[in-house]
Short mmCIF file of all heavy atoms in Angstrom, two decimals:
data_model
loop_
_atom_site.label_atom_id
_atom_site.label_comp_id
_atom_site.label_asym_id
_atom_site.label_seq_id
_atom_site.Cartn_x
_atom_site.Cartn_y
_atom_site.Cartn_z
N THR E 97 -212.94 -1.64 131.81
CA THR E 97 -214.47 -1.84 131.69
C THR E 97 -214.84 -3.21 132.10
O THR E 97 -214.02 -4.20 131.93
CB THR E 97 -214.99 -1.56 130.28
OG1 THR E 97 -214.38 -2.39 129.39
CG2 THR E 97 -214.77 -0.18 129.84
N SER E 98 -216.08 -3.40 132.61
CA SER E 98 -216.48 -4.82 132.99
C SER E 98 -216.90 -5.63 131.83
O SER E 98 -217.27 -5.05 130.77
CB SER E 98 -217.64 -4.69 134.03
OG SER E 98 -218.72 -4.13 133.35
N ALA E 99 -216.76 -6.90 131.85
CA ALA E 99 -217.32 -7.72 130.73
C ALA E 99 -218.88 -7.72 130.81
O ALA E 99 -219.40 -7.83 129.61
CB ALA E 99 -216.75 -9.20 130.97
N GLU E 100 -219.37 -7.49 131.91
CA GLU E 100 -220.84 -7.51 132.00
C GLU E 100 -221.42 -6.14 131.33
O GLU E 100 -220.94 -5.11 131.62
CB GLU E 100 -221.21 -7.50 133.48
CG GLU E 100 -222.74 -7.66 133.79
CD GLU E 100 -223.01 -7.31 135.22
OE1 GLU E 100 -222.07 -7.36 136.14
OE2 GLU E 100 -224.18 -7.09 135.48
N LEU E 101 -222.39 -6.39 130.45
CA LEU E 101 -223.04 -5.23 129.70
C LEU E 101 -224.53 -5.08 130.25
O LEU E 101 -225.18 -6.01 130.66
CB LEU E 101 -223.10 -5.50 128.19
CG LEU E 101 -221.72 -5.75 127.55
CD1 LEU E 101 -221.95 -6.15 126.05
CD2 LEU E 101 -220.71 -4.62 127.64
N THR E 102 -224.93 -3.82 130.16
CA THR E 102 -226.34 -3.55 130.48
C THR E 102 -226.94 -2.67 129.48
O THR E 102 -226.26 -1.92 128.84
CB THR E 102 -226.50 -2.90 131.89
OG1 THR E 102 -225.66 -1.64 131.90
CG2 THR E 102 -226.21 -3.75 133.06
N ASP E 103 -228.21 -2.83 129.30
CA ASP E 103 -229.04 -2.01 128.39
C ASP E 103 -229.63 -0.81 129.14
O ASP E 103 -230.04 -0.99 130.31
CB ASP E 103 -230.22 -2.80 127.85
CG ASP E 103 -229.89 -3.51 126.61
OD1 ASP E 103 -229.00 -3.02 125.83
OD2 ASP E 103 -230.38 -4.57 126.28
N TYR E 104 -229.69 0.35 128.50
CA TYR E 104 -230.33 1.51 129.20
C TYR E 104 -230.81 2.47 128.11
O TYR E 104 -230.12 2.65 127.10
CB TYR E 104 -229.28 2.14 130.10
CG TYR E 104 -229.90 3.21 130.98
CD1 TYR E 104 -230.46 2.91 132.22
CD2 TYR E 104 -229.82 4.58 130.59
CE1 TYR E 104 -231.00 3.96 133.03
CE2 TYR E 104 -230.30 5.59 131.45
CZ TYR E 104 -230.92 5.26 132.69
OH TYR E 104 -231.39 6.19 133.50
N GLU E 105 -231.92 3.05 128.25
CA GLU E 105 -232.44 3.98 127.33
C GLU E 105 -231.73 5.31 127.50
O GLU E 105 -231.82 6.00 128.52
CB GLU E 105 -233.87 4.23 127.51
CG GLU E 105 -234.44 5.03 126.36
CD GLU E 105 -235.89 4.76 126.01
OE1 GLU E 105 -236.42 3.63 126.21
OE2 GLU E 105 -236.60 5.69 125.65
N GLU E 106 -230.87 5.70 126.56
CA GLU E 106 -230.04 6.92 126.69
C GLU E 106 -230.64 8.04 125.86
O GLU E 106 -231.37 7.85 124.82
CB GLU E 106 -228.57 6.71 126.20
CG GLU E 106 -227.84 5.90 127.08
CD GLU E 106 -226.33 5.79 126.67
OE1 GLU E 106 -225.85 6.78 126.04
OE2 GLU E 106 -225.64 4.81 126.98
N GLY E 107 -230.45 9.29 126.37
CA GLY E 107 -230.79 10.50 125.66
C GLY E 107 -229.55 11.36 125.69
O GLY E 107 -228.54 10.99 126.23
N CYS E 108 -229.66 12.53 124.97
CA CYS E 108 -228.46 13.41 125.01
C CYS E 108 -229.01 14.85 124.83
O CYS E 108 -229.92 15.14 124.06
CB CYS E 108 -227.62 13.02 123.84
SG CYS E 108 -226.16 14.06 123.62
N LEU E 109 -228.38 15.81 125.50
CA LEU E 109 -228.82 17.16 125.36
C LEU E 109 -228.57 17.78 123.95
O LEU E 109 -229.22 18.71 123.54
CB LEU E 109 -228.05 18.11 126.43
CG LEU E 109 -228.32 17.75 127.85
CD1 LEU E 109 -227.53 18.62 128.75
CD2 LEU E 109 -229.86 17.84 128.22
N SER E 110 -227.59 17.02 123.19
CA SER E 110 -227.42 17.51 121.83
C SER E 110 -228.38 16.88 120.84
O SER E 110 -228.33 17.15 119.63
CB SER E 110 -225.96 17.09 121.45
OG SER E 110 -225.06 17.96 122.17
N LEU E 111 -229.17 15.96 121.33
CA LEU E 111 -230.15 15.27 120.47
C LEU E 111 -231.54 15.33 121.27
O LEU E 111 -232.14 14.30 121.65
CB LEU E 111 -229.79 13.84 120.19
CG LEU E 111 -228.69 13.45 119.21
CD1 LEU E 111 -227.39 13.58 119.88
CD2 LEU E 111 -228.94 12.09 118.64
N PRO E 112 -232.06 16.58 121.42
CA PRO E 112 -233.31 16.65 122.25
C PRO E 112 -234.41 15.90 121.55
O PRO E 112 -234.60 15.88 120.31
CB PRO E 112 -233.64 18.20 122.24
CG PRO E 112 -232.81 18.72 121.16
CD PRO E 112 -231.57 17.81 121.00
N GLY E 113 -235.25 15.22 122.42
CA GLY E 113 -236.42 14.54 121.98
C GLY E 113 -236.21 13.14 121.36
O GLY E 113 -237.04 12.54 120.85
N VAL E 114 -234.87 12.65 121.47
CA VAL E 114 -234.58 11.39 120.85
C VAL E 114 -234.01 10.49 122.05
O VAL E 114 -233.22 10.97 122.78
CB VAL E 114 -233.51 11.52 119.75
CG1 VAL E 114 -233.12 10.18 119.23
CG2 VAL E 114 -234.03 12.46 118.64
N SER E 115 -234.38 9.22 122.01
CA SER E 115 -233.71 8.28 123.03
C SER E 115 -233.62 6.85 122.33
O SER E 115 -234.43 6.61 121.41
CB SER E 115 -234.49 8.24 124.29
OG SER E 115 -235.80 7.69 124.10
N GLU E 116 -232.71 6.12 122.84
CA GLU E 116 -232.52 4.81 122.23
C GLU E 116 -231.85 3.86 123.29
O GLU E 116 -231.07 4.31 124.13
CB GLU E 116 -231.70 4.80 121.03
CG GLU E 116 -231.62 3.43 120.30
CD GLU E 116 -230.64 3.46 119.04
OE1 GLU E 116 -229.93 4.39 118.85
OE2 GLU E 116 -230.60 2.41 118.29
N ASN E 117 -232.27 2.60 123.27
CA ASN E 117 -231.59 1.57 124.12
C ASN E 117 -230.18 1.32 123.71
O ASN E 117 -230.03 0.94 122.51
CB ASN E 117 -232.47 0.30 124.16
CG ASN E 117 -232.95 0.01 125.46
OD1 ASN E 117 -232.82 0.70 126.41
ND2 ASN E 117 -233.43 -1.25 125.61
N ILE E 118 -229.22 1.49 124.57
CA ILE E 118 -227.81 1.33 124.24
C ILE E 118 -227.17 0.36 125.19
O ILE E 118 -227.39 0.49 126.45
CB ILE E 118 -227.06 2.74 124.22
CG1 ILE E 118 -227.72 3.67 123.23
CG2 ILE E 118 -225.54 2.55 123.89
CD1 ILE E 118 -227.56 3.37 121.78
N LYS E 119 -226.35 -0.57 124.71
CA LYS E 119 -225.70 -1.57 125.50
C LYS E 119 -224.28 -0.99 125.82
O LYS E 119 -223.55 -0.58 124.90
CB LYS E 119 -225.58 -2.84 124.71
CG LYS E 119 -225.51 -4.09 125.56
CD LYS E 119 -225.48 -5.36 124.69
CE LYS E 119 -226.69 -5.93 124.23
NZ LYS E 119 -227.58 -6.43 125.32
N ARG E 120 -223.91 -0.95 127.08
CA ARG E 120 -222.55 -0.51 127.56
C ARG E 120 -222.16 -1.39 128.71
O ARG E 120 -222.92 -1.90 129.44
CB ARG E 120 -222.63 0.92 127.96
CG ARG E 120 -222.92 1.96 126.92
CD ARG E 120 -222.64 3.34 127.45
NE ARG E 120 -223.08 4.39 126.53
CZ ARG E 120 -222.36 5.11 125.65
NH1 ARG E 120 -221.11 4.69 125.55
NH2 ARG E 120 -222.86 6.12 124.97
N PRO E 121 -220.82 -1.40 129.00
CA PRO E 121 -220.36 -2.05 130.19
C PRO E 121 -221.00 -1.47 131.45
O PRO E 121 -221.13 -0.23 131.56
CB PRO E 121 -218.80 -1.71 130.17
CG PRO E 121 -218.47 -1.54 128.70
CD PRO E 121 -219.70 -0.90 128.19
N GLU E 122 -221.22 -2.36 132.38
CA GLU E 122 -221.85 -2.02 133.65
C GLU E 122 -220.95 -1.21 134.53
O GLU E 122 -221.35 -0.26 135.27
CB GLU E 122 -222.33 -3.38 134.31
CG GLU E 122 -222.70 -3.23 135.77
CD GLU E 122 -224.01 -2.35 136.01
OE1 GLU E 122 -224.82 -2.24 135.06
OE2 GLU E 122 -224.29 -1.96 137.12
N LYS E 123 -219.58 -1.47 134.46
CA LYS E 123 -218.72 -0.82 135.30
C LYS E 123 -217.43 -0.28 134.48
O LYS E 123 -217.10 -0.86 133.50
CB LYS E 123 -218.06 -1.80 136.42
CG LYS E 123 -219.15 -2.22 137.33
CD LYS E 123 -218.52 -3.25 138.36
CE LYS E 123 -219.61 -3.78 139.25
NZ LYS E 123 -219.17 -4.94 140.03
N VAL E 124 -216.99 0.90 134.97
CA VAL E 124 -215.74 1.46 134.27
C VAL E 124 -214.77 1.92 135.36
O VAL E 124 -215.18 2.27 136.52
CB VAL E 124 -216.06 2.59 133.37
CG1 VAL E 124 -216.85 2.22 132.16
CG2 VAL E 124 -216.63 3.78 134.04
N THR E 125 -213.50 1.93 134.99
CA THR E 125 -212.47 2.64 135.82
C THR E 125 -211.86 3.71 134.96
O THR E 125 -211.52 3.50 133.78
CB THR E 125 -211.36 1.62 136.21
OG1 THR E 125 -211.94 0.44 136.92
CG2 THR E 125 -210.29 2.21 137.12
N VAL E 126 -211.93 4.92 135.53
CA VAL E 126 -211.40 6.09 134.75
C VAL E 126 -210.45 6.86 135.49
O VAL E 126 -210.47 7.01 136.76
CB VAL E 126 -212.68 7.02 134.33
CG1 VAL E 126 -213.32 7.53 135.58
CG2 VAL E 126 -212.24 8.18 133.42
N GLN E 127 -209.40 7.31 134.76
CA GLN E 127 -208.38 8.23 135.36
C GLN E 127 -208.52 9.59 134.67
O GLN E 127 -208.80 9.67 133.49
CB GLN E 127 -207.01 7.66 134.97
CG GLN E 127 -206.61 6.55 135.88
CD GLN E 127 -205.14 6.10 135.52
OE1 GLN E 127 -204.63 6.31 134.51
NE2 GLN E 127 -204.53 5.34 136.46
#
Side-chain angles (χ1 to χ4, degrees):
T97 56
S98 64
E100 187 193 342
L101 303 175
T102 52
D103 271 330
Y104 188 84
E105 192 157 324
E106 287 189 29
C108 179
L109 298 179
S110 293
L111 285 83
V114 179
S115 64
E116 187 185 8
N117 237 10
I118 302 292
K119 211 181 269 297
R120 291 190 191 265
E122 167 69 17
K123 296 178 181 169
V124 295
T125 302
V126 61
Q127 282 181 340

